[in-house]
Structures are given as C-alpha cells and as structure tokens.
Amino acid sequence: MNLFDVFNGRDSLTGLFRRFRSRVLRSEVEVVGKCNRCGRCCRSVLLFDRGRWLRRASQFERLVADAPEHARFRPAGRDAGGYLLFDCALLGRDNNCTEYGARPALCGNYPSKSLYYHGGKTLNGCGYAFRAVTFRDVLWGRKPIKPADFSAVLRREIEQERDKQT
C-alpha cells in the first residue's frame, strides 16, 4: 500500500463525508498514538506541487528547485494511477531519519488532519490513528473522548517535585 491508496480521488466521498460530519458535530478529528518507527511513511511517497500530484520528472525537478529540502526523495517507480512514487534517501537502516532536524514539513506533519479530511487513513502498521466523534456517538449519547489536560498533569508533576524537595 502506498500513499496514493490512502490519499487520492478514490476516497474523495469519504473525505467529503468526514468534513461534513466534523462541521455538523463541531468536532475536529484528533491524531492519536505515536510513531513506531516502521519507516513505511518514508517509502512510496507521493509528492504534491502546485495543486497536483507529480507525474513527470520535470515536475519533480521544479519542486526541488523551489523547495530544495525535497531533494532527499528519490524516484521509486509509479503507482497504478501513473503517479510518481518516491523513497526518502535519508531513511536509515533503523527506520530513523538521518537528517531529522532538517526534514521537510511533509515529513514532520505526518499524519496530518488533512489526510483524514481527504478520505485517507494511516498506513498499516503505523502507530498513529485518527479519532473522530461520529454521528453514532452523538445518537447513543456517548461523550466524545477528550485529550488529557496536559497543563494539569504538568502542575501535578511540579507539585510532586516540590514535595520531594521538602
């Protein structure tokens, strides 16, 4: 499976429905989980430039000229729709980025909420997932799962440290 399979026109109705549901329920999707360093998101990547997925090498060359941080990607073939697929040349054998601090926004934003709202899903085996309030949640009277109040957790930890010092 590549990113074309999870983020393309075939899932546009799903994305449209997700955007509609989010607006009606006034509840935005959450990205939950953590990276498990599988490296799948760094392989068979589709690149997007000027409103289009890349199909030709000349488009990739123009993208790299405009945004040199994309030079890390190497052509790896084509998907079933004819779009160019790229692998990141800076992915180490341990599935960690060898240039983590200089990675492009594309890498740092995975998985973005826009992926969900365009009908996509996280890759199989990815430690991340999307959590959204559904119509069923509202109809059955279940409360949406809210993220933890991290400021309260931080305050408790500070208080515990103070108690240990006294």
Side-chain angles (χ1 to χ4, degrees):
M1 175 180 278
N2 60 54
L3 288 183
F4 182 75
D5 292 328
V6 297
F7 190 66
N8 66 19
R10 286 182 260 172
D11 290 318
S12 62
L13 288 177
T14 300
L16 182 63
F17 175 76
R18 288 173 176 174
R19 290 189 300 271
F20 169 76
R21 182 179 62 198
S22 178
R23 181 164 291 206
V24 169
L25 298 179
R26 294 186 179 115
S27 177
E28 194 170 336
V29 67
E30 276 184 273
V31 177
V32 296
K34 64 179 185 168
C35 179
N36 64 11
R37 292 175 168 60
C38 67
R40 288 185 188 98
C41 59
C42 303
R43 296 181 191 97
S44 298
V45 176
L46 279 168
L47 296 177
F48 192 78
D49 185 41
R50 300 175 194 223
R52 297 177 183 213
W53 298 109
L54 303 185
R55 286 187 179 267
R56 295 185 309 276
S58 61
Q59 292 173 307
F60 177 61
E61 291 165 4
R62 185 176 54 216
L63 173 65
V64 171
D66 292 344
E69 66 272 15
H70 288 90
R72 69 179 46 224
F73 295 103
R74 301 287 182 257
R78 293 185 180 273
D79 68 4
Y83 294 94
L84 289 173
L85 296 173
F86 298 88
D87 288 345
C88 181
L90 300 178
L91 181 66
R93 289 181 184 214
D94 60 356
N95 288 327
N96 287 315
C97 182
T98 59
E99 296 280 333
Y100 186 80
R103 71 192 190 284
L106 164 77
C107 303
N109 292 337
Y110 181 83
S112 70
K113 292 178 181 180
S114 70
L115 174 65
Y116 176 82
Y117 289 123
H118 282 90
K121 57 185 178 182
T122 56
L123 298 165
N124 289 336
C126 179
Y128 289 108
F130 295 114
R131 182 185 301 154
V133 176
T134 65
F135 288 122
R136 183 177 295 148
D137 292 333
V138 173
L139 290 172
W140 289 357
R142 292 185 285 202
K143 293 184 180 180
I145 300 170
K146 294 183 180 178
D149 181 2
F150 291 108
S151 58
V153 171
L154 182 59
R155 280 192 300 272
R156 274 192 305 254
E157 289 178 358
I158 290 171
E159 290 173 10
Q160 288 172 354
E161 283 297 316
R162 284 185 195 152
D163 292 343
K164 287 179 184 177
Q165 292 175 355
T166 58

